[in-house]
C-alpha cells in the first residue's frame, strides 16, 4: 500500500488563480520525495493540501489507502514543518515541542516521556527550559523538527525548512535530515526551490512548473534524462540547441541544427513535426583545440573560446558557436593543453550521444 497517493489533485484559489492542476503522485513508505520548482509553481499549495490546511478543488488525496480529502488537518497522520518554524517565541523548548501532543489527550507522564526522548535525540535536553527566541537558527530548526516528529506522524511534510539557515548550517542540517529520515523510516515530503537540496536529499524528485508536474524521477533521472524543455533548463547546466527534422533510430534520434546534426536519446515530449531541443550537459562536453581535434568525437560543435576561468580544480570555458549562441564547458584544471587555450582560440566541443537528450519545445 502506498503511504501517499494524489490523483488528479488541483487547486483553484477563490480569486481564480489556478495554483495546481492534474497532480498525480504515489509515494512508497519510507520514501524521501522533494517537490522542486521555481517560486510560485504550486509546491507549498500542494504540501498544504496534503496536510489539510488548504481544501482541494479537484481530485483525491489518500494516506495509507484512506481517502483524507475532506479530513481536517489534526485528524490526518501528518506533521508539517514550516519555513519560519512557527515556534512560540515566549514558550520554552519543552513547551514548544510538547504543544502538538496537547491535543492527543496523553497523561502528563506519557507526554513528558515522549518530549524527553525526542529532546535527547535532537541534542536539545540542555536547553529544555530556555525560551525559543533565545536560541540559534540551527537550534530552532531542530525544535521545529522535534515538534513535528514527537506526534509520530506517518508522513512529515517540510516546507523549505532550511531556507532560513546560512549555507554552512544548511549543509550540516541537510546531512542530519537525511540520516534522521533513514533512521526513522518515516516518509518525508519536502518542498524546495534549490536543486542542490532536492538532488542531494531525496529518493525521487517531482519537478513542477506553473502548477503542473513536469517530471517525476530519481535525482539521476531528472538530471541525466530531462523529460521536457523546462526540466532541461531548470536542472543542471545544459546547453540548449534548437533542431528540426528529427529521425528516430531505436531509442536515439538525430536532428539538424545550425551547427550540424546532433544525436541523442529522445524524450517523450519530442515531436517529429515541431522544433526539437538538444540538451547537452556542461560536464559531459569535451573541449579540444581545433588543431588537435581531427574528426574524433560525436556531436562536434566548432567555435572560439570567449571566456575562461578556473575555480579550484574546475576550469570553466565559454565557447562562442556563431556570435549568437555559446555553450559552457567544464574541464579539469589538470589538463595543461586546455588551460593554455586563450580567448579567441578555435576549438571543437563534442559530447557522447548517450549524454544528450532531445526534448520537445515548450
Ligand atoms: P510555491 O510554493 O511553489 O512558491 P505556491 O503554492 O505558494 O507556490 O503558489 C502557487 C500559486 O498560487 C502562485 O501563483 C501564488 O501566487 C498563488 N497563491 C498562493 N496562495 C494563494 C492564495 N491564498 N490566494 C490566491 N493565490 C494564491
Amino acid at each position: 500500500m502506498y503511504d501517499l497517493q494524489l490523483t488528479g489533485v488541483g487547486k483553484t484559489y477563490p480569486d481564480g488563480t489556478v495554483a495546481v492542476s492534474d497532480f498525480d503522485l504515489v509515494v512508497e513508505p519510507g520514501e524521501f520525495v522533494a517537490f522542486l520548482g521555481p517560486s510560485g509553481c504550486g509546491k507549498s499549495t500542494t504540501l498544504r493540501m496534503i496536510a489539510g490546511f488548504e481544501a482541494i478543488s479537484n481530485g483525491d488525496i489518500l494516506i495509507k489507502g484512506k481517502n483524507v480529502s475532506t479530513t481536517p488537518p489534526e485528524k490526518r497522520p501528518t506533521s508539517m514543518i514550516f519555513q519560519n518554524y512557527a515556534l512560540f517565541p515566549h514558550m520554552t523548548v519543552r513547551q514548544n515541542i510538547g504543544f502538538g501532543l496537547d491535543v492527543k489527550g496523553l497523561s502528563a507522564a506519557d507526554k513528558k516521556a515522549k518530549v524527553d526522548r525526542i529532546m535527547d535525540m535532537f541534542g536539545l535536553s540542555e536547553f529544555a527550559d530556555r525560551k525559543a527566541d533565545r536560541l540559534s537558527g540551527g537550534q530552532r530548526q531542530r525544535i521545529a523538527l522535534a515538534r513535528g516528529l514527537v506526534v509520530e506522524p506517518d508522513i512529515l511534510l517540510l516546507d523549505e525548512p532550511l531556507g532560513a539557515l546560512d549555507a554552512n548550517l544548511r549543509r550540516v542540517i541537510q546531512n542530519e535530515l537525511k540520516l534522521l529520515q533513514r533512521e526513522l523510516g518515516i516518509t518525508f515530503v519536502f518542498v524546495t526551490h534549490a536543486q542542490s537540496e532536492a538532488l542531494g536529499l531525496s529518493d525521487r524528485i517531482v519537478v513542477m512548473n506553473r502548477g503542473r508536474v513536469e517530471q517525476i524521477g530519481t535525482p539521476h533521472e531528472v538530471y541525466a534524462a530531462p523529460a521536457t524543455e523546462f526540466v532541461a533548463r531548470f536542472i543542471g547546466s545544459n546547453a540548449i540547441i534548437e533542431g528540426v527534422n528529427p529521425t528516430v533510430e531505436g531509442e536515439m534520434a538525430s536532428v539538424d541544427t545550425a551547427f550540424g546534426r546532433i544525436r541523442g536519446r529522445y524524450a517523450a515530449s519530442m515531436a517529429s513535426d515541431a522544433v526539437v531541443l538538444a540538451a547537452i550537459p556542461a560536464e559531459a562536453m569535451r573541449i579540444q583545440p581545433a588543431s588537435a581535434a581531427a574528426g574524433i568525437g560525436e556531436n562536434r560543435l566548432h567555435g572560439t573560446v570567449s571566456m575562461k576561468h578556473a575555480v579550484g580544480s574546475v576550469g570553466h570555458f565559454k565557447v562562442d558557436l556563431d556570435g549568437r549562441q555559446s555553450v559552457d564547458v567544464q574541464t579539469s584544471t589538470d589538463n595543461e593543453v586546455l588551460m593554455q587555450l586563450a580567448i579567441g582560440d578555435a576549438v571543437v566541443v563534442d559530447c557522447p550521444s548517450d549524454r544528450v537528450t532531445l526534448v520537445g519545445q515548450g
Side-chain angles (χ1 to χ4, degrees):
M1 194 196 309
Y2 297 117
D3 249 22
L4 176 65
Q5 202 167 352
L6 279 72
T7 321
V9 169
K11 175 72 186 183
T12 305
Y13 282 107
D15 66 0
T17 306
V18 180
V20 180
S21 18
D22 295 324
F23 198 115
D24 291 319
L25 174 70
V26 291
V27 179
E28 301 279 352
E31 251 194 304
F32 195 136
V33 173
F35 295 170
L36 173 67
S39 178
C41 73
K43 305 178 298 289
S44 298
T45 299
T46 309
L47 203 71
R48 291 202 303 268
M49 288 194 283
I50 298 169
F53 297 124
E54 203 71 73
I56 64 178
S57 311
N58 308 94
D60 281 302
I61 296 178
L62 280 72
I63 297 177
K64 291 203 181 291
K66 183 168 171 268
N67 195 326
V68 298
S69 300
T70 56
T71 308
E74 68 280 6
K75 296 262 165 57
R76 297 190 189 193
T78 52
S79 274
M80 182 139 162
I81 316 273
F82 296 91
Q83 184 166 16
N84 57 7
Y85 315 143
L87 299 179
F88 300 106
H90 302 300
M91 284 183 11
T92 64
V93 171
R94 174 185 294 286
Q95 287 164 335
N96 265 288
I97 296 174
F99 183 75
L101 290 172
D102 287 345
V103 293
K104 301 261 167 185
L106 295 176
S107 72
D110 282 350
K111 181 177 159 185
K112 182 171 184 307
K114 279 185 193 288
V115 174
D116 282 346
R117 213 183 94 227
I118 203 114
M119 283 196 304
D120 190 37
M121 201 172 133
F122 280 88
L124 291 166
S125 304
E126 60 180 302
F127 311 111
D129 299 311
R130 204 185 281 183
K131 298 272 192 331
D133 63 356
R134 298 287 178 80
L135 294 163
S136 70
Q139 287 163 338
R140 281 208 293 274
Q141 214 284 344
R142 289 192 186 96
I143 302 172
L145 273 173
R147 189 173 64 180
L149 288 166
V150 76
V151 297
E152 298 166 14
D154 289 334
I155 305 176
L156 190 68
L157 305 168
L158 304 106
D159 191 357
E160 303 243 9
L162 310 180
L165 306 175
D166 65 49
N168 284 333
L169 192 54
R170 195 175 313 166
R171 260 193 299 280
V172 172
I173 303 243
Q174 260 183 37
N175 289 337
E176 286 183 8
L177 209 56
K178 183 86 200 150
L179 288 172
L180 181 74
Q181 197 261 344
R182 290 240 174 91
E183 199 176 300
L184 298 173
I186 293 179
T187 301
F188 277 32
V189 181
F190 183 97
V191 160
T192 181
H193 66 273
Q195 59 163 300
S196 61
E197 234 162 69
L199 291 166
L201 282 171
S202 50
D203 298 316
R204 277 190 311 150
I205 299 178
V206 180
V207 185
M208 295 180 68
N209 178 35
R210 296 166 179 263
R212 292 186 175 272
V213 173
E214 292 273 337
Q215 183 171 6
I216 301 178
T218 62
H220 180 73
E221 282 164 355
V222 299
Y223 194 88
T228 65
E229 178 184 358
F230 177 81
V231 179
R233 290 188 188 277
F234 191 71
I235 309 253
S237 53
N238 290 300
I240 307 283
I241 295 177
E242 266 190 33
V244 286
N245 297 330
T247 43
V248 175
E249 330 128 35
E251 292 181 351
M252 307 295 282
S254 46
V255 290
D256 286 327
T257 76
F259 316 106
R261 212 149 166 84
I262 292 186
R263 188 163 175 271
R265 289 170 303 115
Y266 69 90
S269 60
M270 188 191 90
S272 57
D273 57 349
V275 172
V276 172
L277 303 174
I280 314 177
E283 70 281 4
M285 278 186 264
R286 178 174 61 160
I287 178 171
Q288 297 178 83
S291 55
I296 24 171
E298 295 177 283
N299 297 316
R300 294 160 58 83
L301 308 169
H302 293 263
T304 52
V305 175
S306 61
M307 207 183 76
K308 171 189 164 188
H309 70 272
V311 179
S313 59
V314 183
H316 296 266
F317 289 88
K318 195 176 266 304
V319 175
D320 178 43
L321 299 181
D322 64 352
R324 283 180 296 136
Q325 176 141 28
S326 57
V327 293
D328 293 314
V329 186
Q330 293 167 14
T331 66
S332 160
T333 50
D334 291 345
N335 190 324
E336 285 170 21
V337 175
L338 293 186
M339 295 321 285
Q340 279 167 12
L341 282 170
I343 308 289
D345 284 356
V347 290
V348 172
V349 171
D350 68 67
C351 179
S353 298
D354 61 1
R355 302 288 298 274
V356 176
T357 310
L358 303 174
V359 296
Q361 189 177 39

